[in-house]
């Protein structure tokens, strides 16, 4: 179905799904991949190529994860979105006929085959599917799925279904008022700081010597590893990819070398980092024997 459109964006929920779908599309003209497996500098270069193709009316078929759903100005006539929260679907639809070049655009919402790999989205997906109608033969609950009423209904379903997890670490107990008129707000901020995480496991960073600038910055880090200047640290953020902590630990001493006691640098690009899909050390296909040097 993607091959039927000369310009199309397909957004899925995991890096593995994005890479697998992209690999099936590689024979198509104008195929591109975008995900957080690519360092920010790499993604920026790919986005430049995508915008150039769109502006010139050339074939452009992009398979991406949620990295294109916020702060990325893209305009496709057709968008496909794997089921997720209604807010994510709305973001994807915002990349469809964004600039009003056509009378209308089409956004398709589909169910992924990778449900077992998307358990982290089960609550948002279930809430969204109730709004969407819940099945092929059921009508949506709202004529306009992005109306304020539909969005409010979605968040009501989602947040109330999560109420048992709102304070699973019992952090609100640490901000209760004290029985003292002089210091009623004696809150345990240190314990709260340790226990509160919006993202439980944000992963560990890997520095990628991508392109001339990435290679130069990683080389400079090796020379100044004991006391790198803040400017260098900031610049290296553009060449960083985060991976799950266990993958990061398993790769240390193999394809990852430690610089300055705390910086993990990818020792070689090939075959662990490619121009097409970025880093390939994700959980599903990682094997320790692949790192034997």
């Amino acid at each position: 179905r993607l091959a039927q459109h000369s310009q199309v964006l397909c957004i899925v929920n995991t890096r593995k799904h994005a890479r697998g779908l992209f690999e099936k599309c590689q024979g198509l003209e104008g195929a591109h991949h975008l995900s957080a497996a690519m360092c920010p500098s790499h993604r920026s270069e790919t986005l430049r190529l995508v915008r150039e193709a769109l502006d010139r009316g050339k074939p452009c078929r992009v398979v991406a994860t949620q990295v294109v759903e916020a702060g990325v100005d893209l305009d496709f006539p057709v968008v496909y979105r794997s089921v997720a929260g209604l807010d994510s679907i709305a973001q994807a639809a915002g990349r469809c006929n964004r600039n009003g070049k056509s009378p209308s655009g089409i956004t398709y919402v589909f169910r992924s085959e990778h449900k077992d790999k998307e358990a982290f989205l089960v609550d948002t997906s279930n809430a969204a599917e109730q709004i969407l109608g819940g099945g092929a033969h059921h009508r949506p609950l709202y004529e306009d799925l992005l109306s304020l009423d539909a969005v409010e209904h979605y968040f009501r379903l989602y947040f109330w279904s999560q109420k048992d997890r709102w304070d699973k670490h019992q952090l609100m107990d640490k901000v209760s008022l004290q029985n003292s008129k002089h210091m009623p707000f004696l809150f345990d901020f240190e314990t709260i700081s340790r226990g509160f995480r919006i993202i439980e496991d944000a992963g560990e960073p890997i520095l990628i010597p991508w392109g001339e600038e990435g290679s130069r910055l990683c080389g400079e880090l090796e020379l100044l590893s004991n006391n790198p200047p803040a400017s260098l640290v900031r610049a290296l953020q553009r060449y960083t990819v985060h991976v799950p902590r266990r993958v990061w630990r398993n790769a240390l001493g193999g394809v990852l070398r430690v610089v300055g006691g705390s910086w993990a640098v990818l020792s070689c690009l090939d075959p662990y980092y490619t121009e097409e899909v970025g880093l390939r050390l994700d959980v599903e296909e990682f094997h320790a024997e692949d790192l034997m040097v």
Side-chain angles (χ1 to χ4, degrees):
R1 295 192 61 165
L2 297 182
Q4 294 172 10
H5 308 285
S6 63
Q7 293 188 339
V8 60
L9 170 64
C10 181
I11 304 174
V12 294
N13 296 318
T14 67
R15 296 182 191 183
K16 182 181 180 182
H17 191 181
R19 187 174 65 244
L21 189 55
F22 169 75
E23 287 173 349
K24 292 182 178 181
C25 293
Q26 275 190 290
L28 302 176
E29 187 178 359
H32 296 277
H33 165 276
L34 281 164
S35 81
M38 303 158 71
C39 66
S41 187
H42 189 179
R43 293 203 303 269
S44 294
E45 174 60 18
T46 301
L47 282 168
R48 185 189 67 79
L49 296 174
V50 168
R51 291 192 181 102
E52 185 178 279
L54 291 173
D55 291 342
R56 295 184 177 183
K58 293 183 176 181
C60 185
R61 301 172 173 97
V62 177
V63 179
T65 59
Q66 297 95 318
V67 295
V68 299
E69 284 186 347
V72 177
D73 186 9
L74 294 174
D75 182 10
F76 284 85
V78 179
V79 172
Y80 285 78
R81 181 61 170 93
S82 182
V83 168
L86 195 61
D87 50 342
S88 292
I89 293 172
Q91 289 279 9
R95 273 74 196 145
C96 184
N97 198 28
R98 185 180 184 87
N99 299 326
K101 295 178 180 178
S102 303
S104 64
I106 302 177
T107 297
Y108 295 94
V109 180
F110 64 94
R111 293 177 178 86
S112 167
E113 295 178 331
H114 304 274
K115 284 290 187 182
D116 57 328
K117 301 296 184 183
E118 300 177 8
F120 62 97
L121 286 173
V122 66
D123 296 311
T124 55
S125 297
N126 287 343
E129 291 210 37
Q130 289 186 57
I131 304 299
L132 294 171
H137 303 294
H138 295 80
R139 293 181 60 83
L141 297 185
Y142 297 87
E143 183 175 349
D144 181 359
L145 292 171
L146 303 183
S147 67
L148 292 178
D149 288 340
V151 172
E152 181 185 2
H153 192 168
Y154 162 75
F155 280 111
R156 192 164 61 244
L157 287 170
Y158 173 60
F159 282 117
W160 281 107
S161 71
Q162 298 289 307
K163 61 183 179 180
D164 292 336
R165 293 161 53 185
W166 284 353
D167 189 22
K168 66 178 181 179
H169 297 299
Q170 299 179 323
L171 298 178
M172 290 305 298
D173 293 342
K174 309 298 187 297
V175 295
S176 57
L177 292 175
Q178 308 299 311
N179 188 22
S180 168
K181 66 178 182 179
H182 300 295
M183 297 190 70
F185 306 112
L186 191 60
F187 299 159
D188 189 355
F189 288 116
E190 184 177 358
T191 301
I192 294 169
S193 179
R194 287 198 304 266
F196 179 72
R197 295 288 184 276
I198 292 179
I199 301 175
E200 292 291 342
D201 182 4
E204 296 291 344
I206 296 175
L207 298 178
I208 311 295
W210 181 80
E212 291 184 10
E213 183 67 4
S215 297
R216 184 188 69 78
L217 291 171
C218 287
E220 188 175 339
L221 177 67
E222 292 201 53
L223 295 175
L224 305 171
S225 58
N226 292 327
N227 189 25
S231 59
L232 176 58
V233 174
R234 284 195 300 271
L236 283 167
Q237 292 176 359
R238 296 280 298 161
Y239 297 89
T240 301
V241 173
H242 284 77
V243 299
R245 189 166 288 116
R246 61 180 176 274
V247 174
W248 185 86
R249 287 172 178 166
N250 287 341
L252 287 177
V255 72
L256 297 185
R257 68 179 188 275
V258 178
V259 176
S262 60
W263 305 88
V265 180
L266 190 67
S267 297
C268 58
L269 294 181
D270 186 25
Y272 303 105
Y273 193 96
T274 70
E275 288 294 316
E276 291 77 21
V277 299
L279 193 64
R280 300 181 62 92
L281 294 183
D282 50 293
V283 177
E284 291 85 358
E285 71 171 37
F286 174 77
H287 300 287
E289 58 267 25
D290 290 342
L291 301 181
M292 299 301 289
V293 179

